[in-house]
Amino acid sequence: MLFAAYTSSSNIGPSYSALVSRGSLLDLLCCPETVNIVLPSKTNRVISKKSCDDKPDDTPKPGPGSLYTRWGRTTCPTNSSLVYDGLAGGEWFDNAGGGSNLLCLPNDPIWANYTTEHEGGSWIHGTEYQLEHYTTNKLFSFANAKSLHDHDVPCAVCLTRQPAVVMMLPARTKCYPGWTIEYSGYLMTEGSGNKGRHEYVCVDYAPEADPAGYKNENGAVLYFVQASCGSLPCPPYFHGQELTCVVCSKH
């Protein structure tokens, strides 16, 4: 520990000379050691100055987790907490315009200013499962629904319990090493013969069906996605097989 003793403004003691011989006072104040300066006063006060290396801790603190949508379910996996549940919404299946993504619409909307007529803008509709061609080979688990075809698709917005990055991995049912499975299922999107286009979404392997939406009212629709050989190499893909998917997180 170093000391600089001051007896008066014009009388600098030997301790100060020794201090200067090791470098400037400013340099010493910025050295890793603690420098104590004894100031001239009746009480001989001592001021302790920490090293310049003792900076505030700017290490990022853990923040909230990451959001993702679990399509086809109203609950979240154990690794995540539920933000809200709702219904999948999108553009009419045969419209050429409108939105190209699906939204998880909450069950408790809040309105601002509005009209009750259509002014030529855009619409948003509910979303239905389209499984009419899968009467015998039912790919989904029906643990949470007796019937899915033409039923409305629910959804849940989930928040990981730890800070994480989240990705939807197509064509796999398992995550790569170092990643944690949130849920797995089948890749689904709009039918290729329809004008409307939607993103590919991962629908849970054991989907639920909204009990209020069991009529064939169309809207946005979801079909399984099948591999098409050609520009897509086969193998490892196989023509006509439905693609799986898994949502993975990394903490």
Coordinates of all heavy atoms in Angstrom, one line a residue, residues 10-52:
S10 N 3.6 23.9 0.1 CA 4.9 24.2 -0.4 C 5.9 23.2 0.1 O 7.1 23.2 -0.3 CB 5.3 25.6 0.0 OG 5.3 25.8 1.4
N11 N 5.5 22.4 1.1 CA 6.5 21.5 1.7 C 6.0 20.1 1.4 O 5.1 19.5 2.0 CB 6.6 21.7 3.2 CG 7.6 20.8 3.8 OD1 8.4 20.3 3.1 ND2 7.6 20.8 5.2
I12 N 6.6 19.5 0.4 CA 6.3 18.1 0.0 C 7.3 17.2 0.6 O 8.5 17.3 0.4 CB 6.3 18.0 -1.5 CG1 5.3 19.0 -2.2 CG2 6.0 16.6 -2.0 CD1 5.3 19.0 -3.7
G13 N 6.8 16.2 1.4 CA 7.6 15.3 2.1 C 8.2 14.3 1.2 O 7.9 14.1 0.1
P14 N 9.1 13.5 1.8 CA 9.9 12.5 1.1 C 8.9 11.4 0.6 O 9.2 10.7 -0.4 CB 10.9 11.9 2.1 CG 10.3 12.3 3.4 CD 9.6 13.6 3.2
S15 N 7.8 11.2 1.2 CA 6.9 10.1 0.8 C 6.4 10.4 -0.6 O 6.2 9.6 -1.5 CB 5.7 10.0 1.7 OG 6.2 9.5 3.0
Y16 N 6.1 11.7 -0.9 CA 5.6 12.1 -2.2 C 6.7 11.9 -3.2 O 6.5 11.5 -4.4 CB 5.2 13.6 -2.2 CG 4.8 14.1 -3.5 CD1 3.5 13.8 -4.0 CD2 5.6 14.9 -4.3 CE1 3.1 14.2 -5.3 CE2 5.2 15.3 -5.5 CZ 4.0 15.0 -6.0 OH 3.6 15.4 -7.2
S17 N 8.0 12.2 -2.9 CA 9.1 12.0 -3.8 C 9.2 10.6 -4.2 O 9.5 10.2 -5.3 CB 10.4 12.5 -3.2 OG 10.3 13.9 -2.9
A18 N 9.1 9.7 -3.2 CA 9.2 8.3 -3.5 C 8.0 7.8 -4.4 O 8.2 7.0 -5.2 CB 9.1 7.5 -2.1
L19 N 6.9 8.5 -4.2 CA 5.7 8.2 -5.0 C 6.0 8.5 -6.5 O 5.7 7.8 -7.4 CB 4.5 8.9 -4.5 CG 3.1 8.4 -5.0 CD1 2.9 7.0 -4.6 CD2 2.1 9.4 -4.4
V20 N 6.5 9.8 -6.6 CA 6.8 10.2 -8.0 C 7.8 9.4 -8.7 O 7.8 9.2 -9.9 CB 7.2 11.7 -8.0 CG1 7.6 12.2 -9.3 CG2 6.0 12.6 -7.4
S21 N 8.8 8.9 -7.9 CA 9.9 8.1 -8.5 C 9.4 6.9 -9.2 O 10.0 6.3 -10.0 CB 10.9 7.8 -7.5 OG 10.4 6.9 -6.5
R22 N 8.2 6.4 -8.8 CA 7.7 5.2 -9.3 C 6.7 5.5 -10.5 O 6.1 4.6 -11.1 CB 6.9 4.4 -8.3 CG 7.8 3.9 -7.2 CD 7.1 3.0 -6.2 NE 6.4 1.9 -6.9 CZ 5.6 1.0 -6.3 NH1 5.4 1.1 -5.0 NH2 5.0 0.1 -7.0
G23 N 6.5 6.8 -10.8 CA 5.6 7.1 -11.9 C 4.8 8.3 -11.5 O 4.9 8.8 -10.3
S24 N 4.0 8.9 -12.4 CA 3.2 10.0 -12.1 C 2.1 9.6 -11.1 O 1.7 8.5 -11.0 CB 2.6 10.6 -13.3 OG 1.6 9.7 -13.8
L25 N 1.6 10.6 -10.4 CA 0.5 10.4 -9.4 C -0.7 9.8 -10.1 O -1.3 8.9 -9.6 CB 0.2 11.7 -8.7 CG -0.9 11.6 -7.6 CD1 -0.5 10.6 -6.5 CD2 -1.2 13.0 -7.0
L26 N -1.0 10.3 -11.3 CA -2.2 9.8 -12.0 C -2.0 8.4 -12.4 O -2.9 7.6 -12.3 CB -2.4 10.7 -13.3 CG -3.6 10.3 -14.2 CD1 -4.9 10.4 -13.4 CD2 -3.6 11.2 -15.4
D27 N -0.7 8.0 -12.9 CA -0.5 6.6 -13.2 C -0.6 5.7 -12.0 O -1.2 4.6 -12.1 CB 0.9 6.5 -13.8 CG 1.1 7.1 -15.2 OD1 0.0 7.3 -15.8 OD2 2.2 7.4 -15.6
L28 N -0.2 6.2 -10.9 CA -0.3 5.4 -9.7 C -1.7 5.2 -9.2 O -2.1 4.2 -8.7 CB 0.6 6.0 -8.6 CG 2.1 5.8 -8.8 CD1 2.8 6.6 -7.7 CD2 2.4 4.3 -8.6
L29 N -2.5 6.3 -9.5 CA -3.9 6.1 -9.1 C -4.6 5.1 -10.0 O -5.7 4.6 -9.7 CB -4.6 7.5 -9.2 CG -4.2 8.5 -8.2 CD1 -4.9 9.9 -8.5 CD2 -4.6 8.0 -6.8
C30 N -4.1 4.9 -11.2 CA -4.7 3.9 -12.1 C -4.0 2.6 -12.1 O -4.2 1.7 -13.0 CB -4.6 4.5 -13.5 SG -5.7 5.9 -13.7
C31 N -3.1 2.3 -11.1 CA -2.5 1.0 -11.0 C -3.4 0.0 -10.3 O -4.4 0.5 -9.7 CB -1.2 1.1 -10.3 SG -1.3 1.4 -8.5
P32 N -3.2 -1.2 -10.4 CA -4.1 -2.2 -9.8 C -4.1 -2.1 -8.3 O -5.0 -2.7 -7.6 CB -3.5 -3.6 -10.2 CG -2.7 -3.3 -11.4 CD -2.2 -1.9 -11.2
E33 N -3.2 -1.4 -7.6 CA -3.1 -1.4 -6.2 C -4.1 -0.3 -5.7 O -4.5 0.6 -6.4 CB -1.7 -1.1 -5.7 CG -0.7 -2.1 -6.1 CD 0.7 -1.6 -5.9 OE1 1.2 -0.9 -6.7 OE2 1.2 -2.1 -4.8
T34 N -4.3 -0.3 -4.4 CA -5.1 0.8 -3.8 C -4.1 1.9 -3.3 O -3.2 1.5 -2.6 CB -6.0 0.3 -2.6 OG1 -6.9 -0.7 -3.2 CG2 -6.7 1.4 -1.9
V35 N -4.4 3.1 -3.7 CA -3.5 4.2 -3.3 C -4.2 5.0 -2.2 O -5.3 5.5 -2.5 CB -3.1 5.1 -4.5 CG1 -2.3 6.3 -4.0 CG2 -2.4 4.2 -5.5
N36 N -3.6 5.2 -1.1 CA -4.2 6.0 0.0 C -3.5 7.4 0.0 O -2.2 7.4 0.1 CB -4.1 5.4 1.3 CG -5.0 4.2 1.5 OD1 -6.0 4.2 0.8 ND2 -4.7 3.3 2.4
I37 N -4.2 8.5 0.0 CA -3.6 9.8 0.0 C -4.0 10.4 1.4 O -5.1 10.5 1.7 CB -4.1 10.7 -1.1 CG1 -3.8 10.0 -2.5 CG2 -3.5 12.1 -1.0 CD1 -4.4 10.7 -3.6
V38 N -2.9 10.8 2.1 CA -3.2 11.5 3.4 C -3.2 12.9 3.2 O -2.2 13.5 2.8 CB -2.0 11.1 4.4 CG1 -2.3 11.7 5.8 CG2 -1.9 9.6 4.6
L39 N -4.4 13.6 3.4 CA -4.5 15.0 3.2 C -4.2 15.8 4.4 O -4.4 15.3 5.6 CB -6.0 15.3 2.8 CG -6.4 14.6 1.5 CD1 -7.8 14.9 1.2 CD2 -5.5 15.0 0.3
P40 N -3.7 17.0 4.3 CA -3.3 17.9 5.4 C -4.6 18.4 6.1 O -5.4 19.1 5.4 CB -2.6 19.0 4.8 CG -3.0 19.1 3.4 CD -3.3 17.7 3.0
S41 N -4.8 18.0 7.3 CA -6.0 18.5 8.0 C -5.7 18.2 9.5 O -4.8 17.4 9.8 CB -7.3 17.9 7.6 OG -7.3 16.5 7.9
K42 N -6.5 18.8 10.3 CA -6.3 18.6 11.8 C -6.7 17.2 12.1 O -6.1 16.6 13.1 CB -7.2 19.5 12.5 CG -6.8 21.0 12.4 CD -7.7 21.9 13.2 CE -7.3 23.4 13.1 NZ -8.2 24.3 13.9
T43 N -7.6 16.6 11.4 CA -7.9 15.2 11.7 C -7.1 14.2 10.9 O -7.3 13.0 11.0 CB -9.4 15.0 11.4 OG1 -9.7 15.3 10.0 CG2 -10.3 15.9 12.3
N44 N -6.2 14.7 10.0 CA -5.3 13.8 9.2 C -6.2 12.8 8.4 O -6.0 11.6 8.5 CB -4.3 13.1 10.1 CG -3.1 12.7 9.2 OD1 -2.8 13.2 8.2 ND2 -2.4 11.7 9.7
R45 N -7.2 13.3 7.6 CA -8.1 12.4 6.9 C -7.4 11.6 5.9 O -6.4 12.0 5.3 CB -9.2 13.2 6.3 CG -10.2 13.8 7.3 CD -11.3 14.6 6.6 NE -10.7 15.8 5.9 CZ -10.8 16.0 4.6 NH1 -11.3 15.1 3.8 NH2 -10.3 17.1 4.1
V46 N -7.8 10.4 5.6 CA -7.3 9.5 4.6 C -8.4 9.2 3.6 O -9.5 8.8 3.9 CB -6.8 8.2 5.2 CG1 -6.3 7.3 4.1 CG2 -5.6 8.5 6.2
I47 N -8.1 9.5 2.3 CA -9.0 9.2 1.2 C -8.5 8.0 0.4 O -7.3 8.0 0.0 CB -9.2 10.4 0.3 CG1 -9.8 11.6 1.0 CG2 -10.0 10.0 -1.0 CD1 -10.0 12.8 0.2
S48 N -9.3 7.0 0.3 CA -8.9 5.8 -0.4 C -9.5 5.8 -1.8 O -10.7 6.0 -2.0 CB -9.3 4.5 0.3 OG -9.0 3.4 -0.4
K49 N -8.7 5.7 -2.9 CA -9.1 5.6 -4.2 C -8.9 4.3 -4.8 O -7.8 3.8 -4.8 CB -8.4 6.7 -5.1 CG -9.0 6.8 -6.5 CD -8.3 7.9 -7.3 CE -8.8 8.0 -8.7 NZ -10.3 8.2 -8.8
K50 N -9.9 3.7 -5.4 CA -9.8 2.3 -6.0 C -9.0 2.4 -7.3 O -8.9 3.5 -7.9 CB -11.1 1.7 -6.2 CG -11.8 1.3 -4.9 CD -13.1 0.6 -5.2 CE -13.8 0.1 -4.0 NZ -15.0 -0.6 -4.3
S51 N -8.5 1.3 -7.7 CA -7.8 1.2 -9.0 C -8.7 1.5 -10.1 O -9.9 1.3 -10.0 CB -7.3 -0.2 -9.1 OG -6.9 -0.4 -10.5
C52 N -8.2 2.1 -11.2 CA -9.0 2.3 -12.4 C -9.5 1.1 -13.0 O -10.3 1.1 -13.9 CB -8.2 3.2 -13.4 SG -7.8 4.8 -12.8

